[in-house]
Amino acid sequence: MADGTKAVVDTSAADAAADEAALAAAIDELGGGGTAPAGSADAPSTDSPADSPEAASAAADEEADEDAPAAPDPAPASPVSEETSEITAPLSVQEIAAELAAGSAGKKAGKKATPAPEAASDKRRPTDPQPTVDPRDTATLPRTLPAPMRHSGDRIGNRYRLEECISQTDTFSSWRAVDEKLRRAVGVHLMASGHQRARKVLAAAKSAALLGDPRFVQVLDAVQESELVFVVREWLPHASDLAKLLANGPMEPHDAYQMVRQVADAVAAAHRRGQAHLRLTPRCVLRTDSGQYRINGIAVDAALRGLPPEDSTEDAQRTDTRAIGALLFAALTHRWPYPEDRYDLKGLPKDLQNAAPDQVRAGVHKGLSELAARALFDHPPHHAEPITTPEELVRAIAAMPRIRQPEPELPVFQAPPRHNTHALPTAPNPTRVADPAVAPLPASSRPTAARRTKRRLRRVVKATAWTVALGAIGVASWQFVGTLRNSGQAVANPQPSVSSSAPSAHPTAHTPVPIQIKEAFSYNPRGDSPESVWLLPKVFDGDPNTSWVTKTYNDPFGPKPPFKDGTGLLIDLGSVQSVSSVNVLFTGTHTAELRVPNAQAAANPQGAQPESFNVLDKQSGSNVDFTLSSPTNTRYVLIWLTSLPKDTGGSGYRGVVNEVKVFG
């Protein structure tokens, strides 16, 4: 200044503007490689779904401020339809908004950018595929890192061979594959390792694998390999999802009750261990051939779709509880309880948005209708108390009267018409024409009623006489055989003439006493998961027509790798019992060993190795009896299968145990 003093200039605004311009240039370079105006980095996206009021208003404001409106981006490609029951559910309106919001900023900047001549010649700077800073705010990685391109026959992880692409999105792809090491079908999700969701998907998959609940489809592997992230899960080829089960109409009350009870129990158990599903849809609930419901995609499905985790445990519990209520609502009414049509179900009109299922469809079970409304709505009808957690839902189901399966209707049997050969026609037959050449019988030769009665009485007397004679012969024969048997035993074992009060010189024979089985476990230390857990109660239900089955193995059991040496069935008697024999009924010829845990393995037999069990007997056949030389005191009995028969289809080896009985 003129007086020599220095002016103090506030440069904070200029520095902030420069920082914003530098950040916008970096974002534009990641998204499209060009230079965009400084204001475009913060502009709202025009790719938001039309049904979002906030997104629509933001888009309208942006178009009003710009000179020329940008052409709308093409909608994301819909997933490839899948004919099998194993599928990842389609995007919802919220998920479409998340997908479009993730890539709209980069796309819009790329359209409006005008690259400078000197910048065009510069090479693009490399980007870190695993940035240390969370890149969610840039919203550019999903567009620069699409789903990896793979083809049928490709191998990943030097183990999994891709067979069929089930669904494909801009972010990830899902495949049916074959585990060449274990020779089994698996499901695989593929994603680029540099994608902003990759880390969350890996973390969700690893946490789901630690859950270890057979009611959920098991996560078998989660690997980051170079530029690829893949998640391997169990494959259920013969299961049907809930959307397919509802294709022909609503469920019967008993079936809907079984579905909601099993799903609520499983989800509540997962929440007790700190896990949440967050995307429970009809495509995620699978019913196996045995009627067991299994849940697919816990934590992983939400991470793949980019759904943000709930801020608190209460929010996650409410989300899963509301989803279970929606499943029960759809099962009872054959309608989706939201305005849009989803999963081949029609949505509800606006005037029925808060209506209970029995108000949407007549004849709905009253208790199940109230249960669905309390779980689904924050303000249920009739001022009912809402259910906000899976644990509360489990308690509410347990408090309901149990809905039993209806008795099957027997076919109506119509007895054939009975013809009375003795009765004379009461009316002339109009089709019969009298023959004049045949003379009628005289009245004296016609049978009278008295004669017919005598004939019947004579027949009854003859039949009674024959019956009495045959009975007498049978009784005499039975008595004669009994006399011969007693006399033969007396000759073979002469009894000494001692007083009846004297004690016997020989101990009496031991009479086996059945021991009640409390529980059965799948003992599979050589495998990666239990086998047919839902069928375990069949081995001690007293019905030989029901059975527990093992997995189907391509190779027979063997003593050395790579062959598996066996699998087993661990029987829990509830407490220490004196066991003298065990009877096992198989389907087909099996070879099995009867084992009991030693002192170290008795505390935790499920976690012990087969070498920690003592072998008491070994038998082969379809109905085997393990008889011990002397009774042994144990709580656990292991039936260790070392040889399995060929499967009925001839495709492999499979064990089938129909019934197990333990005697003391």
Side-chain angles (χ1 to χ4, degrees), residues 189-214:
H189 298 303
L190 301 180
M191 174 179 281
S193 61
H195 196 284
Q196 62 180 2
R197 302 177 189 168
R199 291 182 177 179
K200 294 182 179 179
V201 170
L202 282 175
K206 292 177 180 179
S207 63
L210 295 175
L211 187 59
D213 193 330

Side-chain angles (χ1 to χ4, degrees), residues 469-535:
L470 292 175
I473 294 173
V475 171
S477 301
W478 177 74
Q479 292 178 350
F480 180 71
V481 171
T483 304
L484 292 179
R485 184 181 302 168
N486 294 333
S487 62
Q489 291 179 356
V491 173
N493 300 317
Q495 298 293 332
S497 58
V498 295
S499 174
S500 59
S501 61
S504 175
H506 301 282
T508 59
H510 174 71
T511 302
V513 178
I515 300 177
Q516 185 176 3
I517 298 175
K518 179 182 179 182
E519 196 170 359
F521 303 94
S522 172
Y523 181 75
N524 189 22
R526 310 301 193 203
D528 51 8
S529 62
E531 299 181 286
S532 304
V533 178
W534 54 93
L535 296 178

